[in-house]
Amino acid sequence: MLEALSTRQDGFVSRYIELENVGHCPNHEAPQAVSKVVSMWVDASDRRREVLDLVHTSTKVTAEEWAEIVMHEKEASEIPLSLLDRIATTFV
């Protein structure tokens, strides 16, 4: 995904929001958290990080029925890649 985001054309804005306590299908496991972020993104006229604060500074907690979901916005440089991830993104 990071590789795809880095190849976007100028003028497009990419944002990465990480959700804790959520598996591979966040829209089913944390619908309220995902809905809040996506709604803010869609409704915004300017989506740059400096203008639109999706998770209100660096962390936001949203209550779901089964747990609290902690959300963080991260830059590509803040996302740790395992050795396998680095190899895969290098050759794909």
Side-chain angles (χ1 to χ4, degrees), residues 11-84:
F12 287 96
V13 178
S14 302
R15 307 278 293 270
Y16 180 85
I17 308 295
E18 182 177 272
L19 282 71
E20 293 182 9
N21 300 328
V22 176
H24 69 280
C25 196
N27 55 314
H28 290 287
E29 297 174 38
Q32 293 179 48
V34 171
S35 176
K36 286 180 183 178
V37 172
V38 171
S39 294
M40 289 173 57
W41 173 263
V42 169
D43 292 342
S45 59
D46 189 343
R47 296 179 176 120
R48 291 175 295 149
R49 188 175 192 171
E50 308 82 49
V51 177
L52 178 62
D53 189 8
L54 291 174
V55 292
H56 309 297
T57 64
S58 61
T59 302
K60 182 176 184 177
V61 177
T62 300
E64 294 288 348
E65 289 183 27
W66 59 275
E68 288 187 337
I69 305 300
V70 178
M71 298 183 284
H72 307 275
E73 181 163 4
K74 297 191 173 193
E75 295 285 342
S77 61
E78 299 173 310
I79 303 169
L81 295 176
S82 69
L83 177 61
L84 183 59

